[in-house]
Amino acid sequence: MSDISTRRNQLRQLVRQRRQDLTQDQQQQAATDLVRQFATQPQLLKLQHIALYLSNDGELDTTPLIKALWQQGKSVYLPILHPHKPGFLVFQHYHANTPMTRNKFGIAEPVLDATQLKALPELEMIGLPLVAFDARGNRMGMGGGFYDRTLANAVFCQPAPLLVGLAHQCQQVAEVPAEPWDIPLQMVVTPEQLVMAQRN
C-alpha cells in the first residue's frame, strides 16, 4: 500500500470515529443548523435542481434540509448505484412518496425509474457526503470512488453543477492527502459555516 493510501486510511478511521462519537442531540442540532446555514447563502437559495443524499454512518443528517427544500418548491434528487456501470451513480428525482429500497451497501435509495432520472448537466448543485475535507476543497469519501468516477466528466459540463460537501465541523482537517483522480469541491457547508475552497 502506498504512503498516501496509508495516510488516507488512518485519517478516514480517525474522522469517522469523531463523527460517530457525536451524540444524538448533537446530530439533531447539527441537522437543524445545516438548514439555517443553507438559508443564509444566496448562491444556494437561487438553485432549483439539487442532488443530495440520505445520511449513513454518522454523516450529517440531510433529512431536515431535504424537507426544507421541498417546502421551498425545489426539486431534490438522490444518487442510485448505476444499474449498468458498476462503480458509477445516477441521480433520480426524490419526493415524499418515492418508493425506496436498500442497495448492496444497505443504504436507502429510490427504486430505479428511468423516467425520473436527471442528467448531470441539468443538476445545479450536487451535495456530496464526505469523511474529511480541508480548506482547499479536497474531499475524502468512504473509499469507493463512486462520486469521483461519476463526476469526472461533470466538471466539463456547461454549466457544471456546483459541487458542495456537507459535513460536521469536526470533519475539517488541516490537509486531505489528495489522489490525482479526486474531484475537488467548490465549497463545504457545515452547521457552523460555509467554507469556500481556497485553491492557491
Side-chain angles (χ1 to χ4, degrees):
M1 187 180 286
S2 69
D3 177 54
I4 193 166
S5 297
T6 303
R7 285 164 56 209
R8 284 170 72 93
N9 285 340
Q10 289 170 342
L11 186 62
R12 185 177 287 117
Q13 207 170 355
L14 173 74
V15 182
R16 277 183 74 193
Q17 190 59 54
R18 266 187 214 167
R19 193 170 69 181
Q20 288 163 354
D21 286 344
L22 294 169
T23 66
Q24 192 171 355
D25 285 348
Q26 288 173 316
Q27 281 279 14
Q28 287 175 343
Q29 187 61 53
T32 302
D33 291 345
L34 178 67
V35 176
R36 194 175 299 123
Q37 188 63 242
F38 218 86
T40 65
Q41 307 300 333
Q43 72 268 49
L44 301 180
L45 281 175
K46 67 182 181 182
L47 305 177
Q48 188 62 37
H49 296 282
I50 298 172
L52 290 172
Y53 58 91
L54 296 181
S55 308
N56 183 54
D57 190 56
E59 291 166 349
L60 182 54
D61 185 6
T62 55
T63 305
L65 178 58
I66 289 170
K67 289 178 177 175
L69 294 174
W70 282 342
Q71 288 171 350
Q72 295 162 27
K74 298 182 186 295
S75 297
V76 176
Y77 304 83
L78 291 181
I80 299 178
L81 298 182
H82 199 298
H84 308 302
K85 289 173 72 178
F88 286 79
L89 302 169
V90 291
F91 292 89
Q92 182 167 311
H93 190 219
Y94 175 56
H95 49 79
N97 300 316
T98 297
M100 302 294 287
T101 185
R102 289 202 175 269
N103 64 28
K104 65 181 182 180
F105 300 109
I107 299 170
E109 64 176 33
V111 173
L112 181 65
D113 178 351
T115 67
Q116 297 292 303
L117 297 180
K118 196 77 167 171
L120 288 178
E122 297 176 305
L123 294 171
E124 294 169 279
M125 174 193 140
I126 299 175
L128 286 79
L130 55 89
V131 174
F133 72 96
D134 63 24
R136 298 187 65 206
N138 291 315
R139 163 191 175 269
M140 185 169 65
M142 290 292 279
F146 287 86
Y147 279 93
D148 291 319
R149 276 187 292 272
T150 301
L151 300 176
N153 293 321
V155 292
F156 302 111
C157 296
Q158 292 296 331
L162 189 64
L163 302 183
V164 180
L166 303 177
H168 294 286
Q169 192 60 52
C170 66
Q171 293 173 246
Q172 183 167 7
V173 298
E175 182 190 6
V176 170
E179 297 277 21
W181 54 81
D182 288 343
I183 303 294
L185 304 166
Q186 280 122 316
M187 64 180 78
V188 178
V189 182
T190 77
E192 288 82 6
Q193 64 174 331
L194 181 140
V195 181
M196 293 297 297
Q198 309 292 324
R199 298 245 165 78
N200 48 17

